[in-house]
Amino acid sequence: MLPEFANEAVLNFETPENRKKQLESLATVQSRLGREYDLVIGSSRLKGPRAFVSTNPGAKSQIIGKSQSASADQAVVAVETAAEAFRMWSRTPVEKRAEVLLNAARLLREKRFECNAWMILEVGKSWAEADADTAEAIDFCEFYAREAYRYSGPQPLTRYPGEENELRYIPLGVGAVIPPWNFPCAILVGMTTASVVTGNTVVLKPSSDSPAIAAFFMEILFAAGLPPGVVNFVTGSGASVGDPIVQHPKTRFVAFTGSKEVGLHINEEAARPRSGQIWIKRVIAEMGGKDFIIVDESADIDAAVKGVLASAFGFQGQKCSACSRAIVHQKVYDEFVRRIGPDAGRIQVGPTSDPSNTMGPVINERAMKTILEYIEDGKKGGRLIAGGKQTQGDGYFVQPTIIADVDPAARIAREEIFGPVLAVIRAKDLDDAIRIANDSEYGLTGAVYTRDPERIKRAKNECFVGNLYINRKCTGALVGVHPFGGFNMSGTDSKAGGRDYLLLFLQAKAISEAVK
Ligand code: NAD
């Protein structure tokens, strides 16, 4: 019996020992930059017809790694290899499958500082954000290993005379696992391990912004005892590699996390049956957000300012859960605006290899341009109270930006920007605030700051989001504690890190035997 699941504690980088270890691991990873990573299909390590590089968004000229742009044919071979491996892996006992996850968790703990370093360099996470990502990846391995045991055991059924009845959960088949770059370890690990611990096999296509971190985890999986063919690693662009994987008739399900646009495209592609296909593909899609924090007149304003800043600017606002709308009661609006602007201005922005920079770069040039365009657009209808500009440096740095007096119908109040931009919106009262909050095509996270118990009750009943927080920030969901996933265009209502998540990777078979 495994001990009860408990979350992995995050590291304190104020401790000299932890700082030293992180600096040492950064130096080690720096010495490994520029390596070439192969595709992994079955037992073969392969080159693609072309290759591409990933670079450090905080030091543009620094090449992190060279990865393969797989051909469509290689993507097809990967699906067929996974289908072949499914015969063996789907019959492998749960003990063996769970053991791989537990070994992976142990190895991630051992290589924790190295894992953090890859994220600090390849996607510009601050030390604390990188470490939280690694801790979440460890949690997914530990949590899903336990959950797999639970689903493999006897399931409750109503007794019936003359029969012995049983319900078994069995795997689906080959899954296309398509993660984003923003939780390049945790989300990739979560979707991959949920797939394999339930007996499925996988074609893993990581984001082209974070392929080296993905390759790092592939090595961990093999060291953890995963047999070849169970997870096949195929890098390349979404259109040239992602589409053939999603479309292949032997692909049984898709586990995707990313933008609304790509999620909808994948859903459409997966829905169309291809020649030889004998099932309806299942799509698990976790998509974008336009998350809010309501600050009520009764709120503790200090706490609210702190919570909004952490939620809006943690990892440069590049979290699906990031607060991009602060909806503030008119009675405390001026005070809130007066306090939050200067606090945002004190956030130190720069390369995250230096731990004093708590805000790093945005992921790439395209993202930076889009963010700056949104800021220009937002300034036309609102009042800039912090940031607003790109900052100097050899990276894609954007100041933490706050625009006040934003109309709830403005683009910056409605569209996901995915960068350090906060819109502050005035609300007449709590009714008005909840109405503005819910008036969104998304429904991922939200928070409400209020001291009034009646208003807390109302917020709990009326705010339509998958993850609602009261008197705390709206980011930082913990595996097992805050099952995570949103409503509406935020996805297919799944809950990563929750007790029903593995069901999405399983199908139930009822068996009835007549007995005398
Ligand atoms: P993205 O949609 O651009 O890419 C996600 C993944 O899809 C990448 O691996 C990409 O290569 C792949 N892809 C692109 N086109 C494809 C295609 N045609 N077929 C198959 N795969 C394809 O998203 P991103 O920029 O990597 O991530 C940011 C987005 O992810 C934001 O919208 C954010 O809100 C969302 N996100 C959501 C959650 C959640 O839990 N709801 C968590 C993290 C991120």
Side-chain angles (χ1 to χ4, degrees), residues 176-183 187 191 205-210 236-247 254 256-263 265-266 269 285-291 317-322 363-364 366 416-418 442 444 484-486 489-491 494 496:
V177 173
I178 307 177
W181 53 265
N182 74 325
F183 279 85
I187 292 181
M191 296 199 299
K205 195 218 82 68
S207 163
S208 300
D209 284 308
S210 55
S237 85
S240 57
V241 181
D243 279 342
I245 298 168
V246 169
Q247 290 162 355
V254 184
F256 165 81
T257 305
S259 61
K260 179 190 92 176
E261 290 69 25
V262 174
H265 167 75
I266 285 177
E269 287 299 316
E286 300 172 44
M287 312 193 312
K290 191 69 196 173
D291 311 306
Q318 301 172 118
K319 297 183 189 179
C320 55
S321 55
I363 190 67
N364 54 36
R366 188 161 37 90
E416 186 183 49
I417 302 171
F418 221 58
Y442 295 107
L444 191 46
F484 187 81
M489 284 295 180
S490 293
S494 51

Side-chain angles (χ1 to χ4, degrees), residues 114-258:
E114 185 185 337
C115 189
N116 294 349
W118 282 110
M119 283 188 267
I120 292 164
L121 295 173
E122 194 168 38
V123 299
K125 288 214 167 193
S126 69
W127 290 21
E129 294 284 356
D131 188 62
D133 197 316
T134 308
E136 189 178 353
I138 295 170
D139 282 351
F140 278 133
C141 294
E142 294 279 351
F143 185 78
Y144 292 149
R146 285 161 176 78
E147 284 292 285
Y149 273 105
R150 194 164 67 80
Y151 281 113
S152 71
Q155 304 301 316
L157 291 174
T158 303
R159 282 179 194 278
Y160 194 74
E163 285 181 12
E164 245 170 41
N165 292 309
E166 178 194 349
L167 185 126
R168 279 185 205 171
Y169 285 113
I170 62 169
L172 294 169
V174 176
V177 173
I178 307 177
W181 53 265
N182 74 325
F183 279 85
C185 188
I187 292 181
L188 179 146
V189 171
M191 296 199 299
T192 307
T193 55
S195 302
V196 300
V197 82
T198 40
N200 303 291
T201 54
V202 162
V203 178
L204 168 61
K205 195 218 82 68
S207 163
S208 300
D209 284 308
S210 55
I213 301 160
F216 168 81
F217 183 66
M218 282 303 292
E219 293 314 317
I220 287 199
L221 274 182
F222 290 129
L226 191 81
V230 178
V231 177
N232 302 279
F233 182 65
V234 180
T235 43
S237 85
S240 57
V241 181
D243 279 342
I245 298 168
V246 169
Q247 290 162 355
H248 196 288
K250 285 188 184 154
T251 296
R252 175 65 180 82
F253 70 95
V254 184
F256 165 81
T257 305

